[in-house]
Amino acid sequence: MALERAALVEPLSCCLNGEEYLNAQPGDRALVFGAGPIGLMHAAILKSRGCDPVIVTDVSDERLAYVVEFGLGRTVNTAGGDAIPKILEAVGGEKFDVALTANSVKSTQADALKLVRKKARVCFFAGIPKDDPVLPIDTNFIHYNEISVFGCFASNLQHYHQALEMIGRDDIPWDRFVTHRFKLDDMVKAFAVIEAGQGIKTVIDCE
């Protein structure tokens, strides 16, 4: 396995940890907020487990294009607000069995809870800014609809083994997840690309 592909094992292992809580089943309707590298990995896992549809949202057309290019699901651009009606319109008004927030935008956590149906599972995968961490929620909605809400962080050795096996297969275009490559001398340029939110994964060659 090329080192560039192997570098994806750690983040994918964390995604597999979150997916363990969601326990997605074939035919489940799945929603992922965020089309960055983590969101794309979650979409890949959900698709591989037979979820249909897999919907990925973001405010960047550039990142959403990767979802379609890699065959990971359908997309909704939520730029400008009003995410809930945009998402429901894209799926004919039907809500979701599993939802996951793969970004640090607090409002998407609230949206995820409103977009799932009874007995759904929701994973808050990404952290949010520590200076504004409190999310007002209607706990009766969770109670009466029997919704399970999970937080997820990091992974364990079992998840590493699962990620290594998954990345070793070619059913997902893992090599194409690495969109930018730089030499060590160009590290400043590499970080500029990352800070600008360009591409998916950036690799720095230390040789």
Side-chain angles (χ1 to χ4, degrees), residues 115-161:
L115 283 164
V116 293
R117 51 195 182 187
K118 287 190 174 184
K119 296 186 181 294
R121 289 89 68 201
V122 178
C123 179
F124 293 167
F125 189 84
I128 58 176
K130 293 183 179 180
D131 60 351
D132 185 24
V134 179
L135 176 69
I137 58 175
D138 181 356
T139 57
N140 272 329
F141 181 82
I142 296 173
H143 168 69
Y144 287 111
N145 290 286
E146 300 182 64
I147 295 170
S148 299
V149 182
F150 306 99
C152 179
F153 176 74
S155 59
N156 60 37
L157 183 60
Q158 176 185 346
H159 300 127
Y160 268 82
H161 286 306

Side-chain angles (χ1 to χ4, degrees), residues 60-76:
S60 167
D61 283 333
E62 177 187 353
R63 288 200 160 181
L64 289 173
Y66 289 115
V67 179
V68 178
E69 181 182 343
F70 297 164
L72 303 180
R74 293 158 51 192
T75 64
V76 178

Side-chain angles (χ1 to χ4, degrees), residues 140-205:
N140 272 329
F141 181 82
I142 296 173
H143 168 69
Y144 287 111
N145 290 286
E146 300 182 64
I147 295 170
S148 299
V149 182
F150 306 99
C152 179
F153 176 74
S155 59
N156 60 37
L157 183 60
Q158 176 185 346
H159 300 127
Y160 268 82
H161 286 306
Q162 292 173 352
L164 186 61
E165 179 181 346
M166 190 172 182
I167 289 179
R169 301 194 301 265
D170 290 323
D171 49 351
I172 300 293
W174 299 111
D175 293 324
R176 295 169 67 189
F177 274 51
V178 179
T179 54
H180 293 78
R181 297 167 176 82
F182 293 91
K183 295 295 185 181
L184 186 59
D185 291 342
D186 293 323
M187 183 181 291
V188 174
K189 294 180 181 178
F191 278 103
V193 167
I194 296 169
E195 290 174 355
Q198 297 174 356
I200 306 175
K201 296 297 285 185
T202 299
V203 168
I204 299 174
D205 184 354

